[in-house]
Amino acid sequence: MKMPATTPSLGDILRADAEDFADAFGVEDPATEDNVTEEEAPKGFCVECKDQQAQAFCEQCQEDFCDVCGSMIHRTGRRRQHVLTKLDVAAPIETDDTAPAAASDSEDTEKEGEALEGAMAVTFSADSGRAETGSGSFGAWITERAKYIPLRLTLKERKYLRLLEAALNVSEYTDKVDILMYGNKTKRMVGQIRELCAILSGLVLASDYKAGQTLFEDRQFEDNEEFFQKIFEIGRRHKIMNPDKMRNEYGKLMYLLQDSQQRDVSELLGFSTLKPIKTVHAVLESLNVAYILEDEMVAVATKEIVAAGKSRAQVQLEIKQKERALEYLCKAYATHECPADVIRQCLYSIGDNHAFLRFNRDPCDRMLAYLKANFNPLKADSNTLSLAILSGRDGARLSHSHSNQFHYVHQTLALWRELLHDMFMLWHSADTDLLAARHAYRLTDTGQGLHRVQPCPRVSAAAHAILHRTQKAVGRWVGSAMIHLGDRNVPNALMFIDKYNQVSSILNPVVRVLEFLDSHAACPEPTDVSRFVEASHGSIDNAKKLILADFFRSAFDGSGADNFFDAGSCIDGRLTSAWNWCSAIEKKPFFNIFLLAGFVGFNGGPEGFN
């Protein structure tokens, strides 16, 4: 096992300057590479942040610093021995229009210094799955999670992905196979699979004649088994990390691969179409460097940097920390078998995982916070803001008191949050169930057309484990705990995954509208939007509570179907009710606020907004 010659601490790596970094650890600092040009600080400004007036001069560094950067850079290591001399900054520094403006408010500078110090303390919370202030082992958590994190596609793989999407777009596989008719269905399957492979071969040849000629000249489909396995795996891997992509094509791809696993189809086809999905852990383990995930600097190198609520200096500092940790890991753990580019690709993939969680899981956290902040769990503040629902009124199919509905909504959002937190694991289980030859499907009319009804043992076990964990966490459970899988409501694992990938499409627009109202409420002067909201709803706070109360009542009332088996309080019926609320959004009295916020639909544009 190859380990770096000198293993520095996380603080050493983040705080070391360019010279210390190279001397102490034998690693080039990215800022010293020839292909990186550093913008010089304007005269009289700090050489580090370049936008604050210089307030101290370092005798050893021979450079000017502001108080914040000077204290931050000279807080540890050999630089603690450096002598800082205060500069006379009584007279303001004249700058031209292109020079950064100097800060003059000492209180802002002190607050910024505190923020910078906080940015240096990167720790991890296993409960939230984020690198933040707290405690826990990031290495243990990410090592286990990396087994399900798909590897980010390379440029060449993205070219193949475009070809696969184009081929699937023109394919009529499900239209030709999933129909009730007489004839040999196996031959239809094999013919459609061969047709798709022929389309792919032609597209590859058209995009790169030499590569296509090498692959397909005087060769049969079975001779290119590895190529087809690779290109189909690329499509499956891309979809897991990007649930909003390949909405039509992915179903065709999975059903095609599902049919190719049948023994009679496989024998006629002459080759296998499957290979395991590439994950971060699988790649690192195959190259004998999986131990890199135990390094504490992986938390910094993969941390998602969100600018909201942070100063520019703090964001820049976090970017530099991330870049420095990334370069250290790539150079310290690179081997002949595992080049630095592969390590960098794996670290970027882990960063993609954090972005996935922020977009898909975090809206559940935000809605839970809104629920707890605006509603009393025991009694309603007023009749208008009561969460109580009565079966038969306003389409509700459940009857809950305010307290029961509060707990019902709370446990549902908590369950959605846990499902989305473990979505990669669930998706791998779904991939296994769908493509398992021993789990045959039957084509059945479910009341919503013909669907492939198939057992889902792995997904069922994982989903019930998450449900049990959520039940223990919330303490009190209201309603049914039935999870539909492999029946007319959720025919197969693909439908289950697709169903819960819609949660973010429902919650994100609501969160965006509430944040839109918060931003106008925080303005020092009334805006046109705030005046309009106050005139129509009394106040911005009342408008927020009206939206939340309606959502927590009507989106969790058991509606959306004509019987309790299809909707009601079962686990899947809760999501059906939420979609039913979305379908009636234009009839709500607060719909004009949604439009003012830029809302276009629950499936339109980024997060449903222009």
Side-chain angles (χ1 to χ4, degrees):
M1 180 182 295
K2 177 182 180 292
M3 293 292 289
T6 302
T7 305
S9 69
L10 175 63
D12 291 338
I13 287 295
L14 297 182
R15 301 183 184 105
D17 70 330
E19 296 178 0
D20 293 341
F21 196 88
D23 295 343
F25 312 132
V27 181
E28 289 186 10
D29 182 31
T32 65
E33 295 179 0
D34 294 337
N35 60 346
V36 178
T37 59
E38 186 75 17
E39 181 183 355
E40 292 185 1
K43 184 177 179 180
F45 284 88
C46 173
V47 297
E48 183 67 20
C49 63
K50 302 180 182 63
D51 62 359
Q52 300 295 316
Q53 188 173 348
Q55 296 165 311
F57 175 76
C58 178
E59 300 289 348
Q60 285 73 26
C61 298
Q62 292 292 303
E63 290 178 328
D64 295 334
F65 298 94
C66 64
D67 284 341
V68 174
C69 294
S71 59
M72 183 268 294
I73 290 176
H74 294 84
R75 62 189 296 181
T76 59
R78 288 177 287 176
R79 288 202 167 197
R80 293 184 65 181
Q81 310 301 323
H82 291 193
V83 178
L84 292 175
T85 305
K86 288 290 183 180
L87 297 177
D88 182 11
V89 293
I93 298 175
E94 295 183 0
T95 61
D96 57 20
D97 293 338
T98 62
S104 59
D105 193 338
S106 59
E107 294 182 2
D108 291 343
T109 303
E110 291 176 3
K111 293 179 180 179
E112 190 170 313
E114 294 174 0
L116 291 174
E117 291 180 5
M120 301 295 291
V122 181
T123 52
F124 172 72
S125 168
D127 293 334
S128 66
R130 302 186 190 92
E132 57 183 20
T133 302
S135 60
S137 171
F138 180 83
W141 179 79
I142 201 61
T143 299
E144 179 62 27
R145 190 170 182 84
K147 296 177 182 177
Y148 307 106
I149 297 177
L151 190 68
R152 177 187 281 196
L153 268 58
T154 62
L155 178 60
K156 185 176 181 180
E157 288 175 333
R158 292 182 186 277
K159 293 180 179 178
Y160 283 136
L161 175 67
R162 288 197 293 271
L163 299 182
L164 176 63
E165 289 179 316
L168 290 170
N169 186 46
V170 300
S171 172
E172 298 179 336
Y173 185 83
T174 50
D175 296 334
K176 298 290 183 65
V177 173
D178 287 349
I179 53 176
L180 297 176
M181 64 174 293
Y182 294 104
N184 192 319
K185 188 173 182 178
T186 300
K187 288 185 177 180
R188 287 206 313 273
M189 292 177 181
V190 173
Q192 289 298 312
I193 294 173
R194 287 185 173 273
E195 180 179 300
L196 179 68
C197 292
I199 295 172
L200 276 173
S201 303
L203 290 173
V204 171
L205 187 65
S207 63
D208 190 336
Y209 181 76
K210 290 185 178 180
Q213 190 177 37
T214 303
L215 278 172
F216 305 113
E217 187 177 22
D218 299 328
R219 302 180 73 180
Q220 301 299 319
F221 289 136
E222 50 267 28
D223 298 327
N224 289 305
E225 178 182 52
E226 185 177 349
F227 168 77
F228 291 118
Q229 288 178 347
K230 176 182 177 181
I231 201 168
F232 291 144
E233 185 273 334
I234 289 172
R236 290 154 60 206
R237 177 159 36 111
H238 175 72
K239 176 64 176 179
I240 294 175
M241 190 63 82
N242 303 272
D244 57 322
K245 306 294 184 182
M246 298 178 66
R247 293 193 175 184
N248 297 320
E249 294 83 0
Y250 183 70
K252 295 180 189 178
L253 173 63
M254 294 307 297
Y255 285 166
L256 178 151
L257 296 177
Q258 185 182 49
D259 290 336
S260 72
Q261 299 312 296
Q262 298 182 23
R263 187 174 64 178
D264 49 354
V265 174
S266 179
E267 290 175 354
L268 283 176
L269 197 59
F271 66 95
S272 172
T273 57
L274 284 188
K275 66 179 296 188
I277 293 176
K278 282 186 181 179
T279 63
V280 171
H281 189 273
V283 171
L284 293 176
E285 190 174 41
S286 67
L287 299 174
N288 299 315
V289 290
Y291 53 85
I292 187 178
L293 297 173
E294 300 174 6
D295 195 310
E296 60 182 355
M297 275 174 283
V298 173
V300 184
T302 61
K303 178 183 178 182
E304 188 179 22
I305 299 174
V306 181
K310 299 177 183 176
S311 66
R312 182 172 64 176
Q314 184 179 354
V315 172
Q316 290 174 341
L317 174 62
E318 291 184 4
I319 292 173
K320 289 180 181 179
Q321 290 176 341
K322 183 173 181 176
E323 291 175 347
R324 182 159 292 172
L326 181 66
E327 290 302 319
Y328 165 75
L329 290 169
C330 290
K331 294 181 180 180
Y333 288 93
T335 64
H336 179 70
E337 296 80 11
C338 181
D341 287 343
V342 174
I343 294 177
R344 183 177 286 104
Q345 184 185 12
C346 290
L347 294 175
Y348 285 154
S349 301
I350 296 174
D352 293 340
N353 161 76
H354 300 335
F356 175 91
L357 292 178
R358 182 172 65 88
F359 181 81
N360 292 275
R361 180 203 62 188
D362 287 5
C364 297
D365 291 329
R366 296 298 305 276
M367 293 304 292
L368 280 168
Y370 280 123
L371 174 67
K372 296 174 183 177
N374 292 278
F375 298 93
N376 188 316
L378 300 179
K379 62 179 182 179
D381 295 335
S382 65
N383 290 334
T384 306
L385 300 179
S386 174
L387 300 184
I389 56 176
L390 181 64
S391 179
R393 178 181 296 176
D394 297 327
R397 295 188 59 82
L398 302 174
S399 294
H400 286 160
S401 65
H402 173 86
S403 178
N404 279 349
Q405 183 69 2
F406 180 94
H407 290 288
Y408 181 75
V409 173
H410 179 272
Q411 68 192 23
T412 302
L413 291 172
L415 177 61
W416 289 353
R417 190 251 184 219
E418 293 303 314
L419 287 169
L420 291 168
H421 182 75
D422 289 331
M423 181 53 70
F424 286 167
M425 180 271 291
L426 288 170
W427 210 314
H428 277 263
S429 298
D431 192 83
T432 302
D433 282 343
L434 277 168
L435 305 180
R438 64 182 180 277
H439 300 320
Y441 70 85
R442 65 185 187 279
L443 198 62
T444 305
D445 186 355
T446 63
Q448 297 180 351
L450 292 174
H451 285 279
R452 300 185 177 198
V453 179
Q454 180 192 37
C456 319
R458 292 176 67 92
V459 174
S460 179
H464 279 91
I466 294 172
L467 173 62
H468 179 66
R469 188 172 73 226
T470 306
Q471 287 176 322
K472 289 181 64 177
V474 299
R476 175 187 177 189
W477 195 259
V478 179
S480 170
M482 171 69 178
I483 299 180
H484 290 287
L485 272 172
D487 57 19
R488 64 187 300 270
N489 292 284
V490 184
N492 52 54
L494 175 62
M495 297 298 175
F496 177 86
I497 292 296
D498 183 66
K499 193 179 183 79
Y500 285 96
N501 273 324
Q502 307 307 314
V503 171
S504 61
S505 298
I506 297 172
L507 299 185
N508 267 319
V510 179
V511 171
R512 285 280 298 272
V513 170
L514 296 173
E515 291 176 343
F516 170 77
L517 290 175
D518 287 336
S519 66
H520 283 276
C523 292
E525 297 293 334
T527 63
D528 291 338
V529 171
S530 63
R531 293 190 186 96
F532 171 79
V533 172
E534 289 170 2
S536 56
H537 299 286
S539 69
I540 289 181
D541 188 60
N542 286 341
K544 282 178 54 181
K545 290 184 176 181
L546 174 66
I547 294 171
L548 287 168
D550 188 85
F551 179 74
F552 292 146
R553 281 195 305 262
S554 302
F556 300 88
D557 61 359
S559 61
D562 57 359
N563 61 78
F564 283 102
F565 187 72
D566 291 345
S569 64
C570 66
I571 301 304
D572 307 285
R574 303 173 190 227
L575 194 52
T576 303
S577 305
W579 267 123
N580 191 55
W581 180 85
C582 295
S583 66
I585 185 66
E586 69 278 0
K587 300 177 183 178
K588 302 294 182 181
F590 47 77
F591 182 57
N592 48 17
I593 299 178
F594 273 65
L595 295 178
L596 286 173
F599 173 78
V600 295
F602 288 96
N603 266 335
E607 303 182 32
F609 283 74
N610 282 323

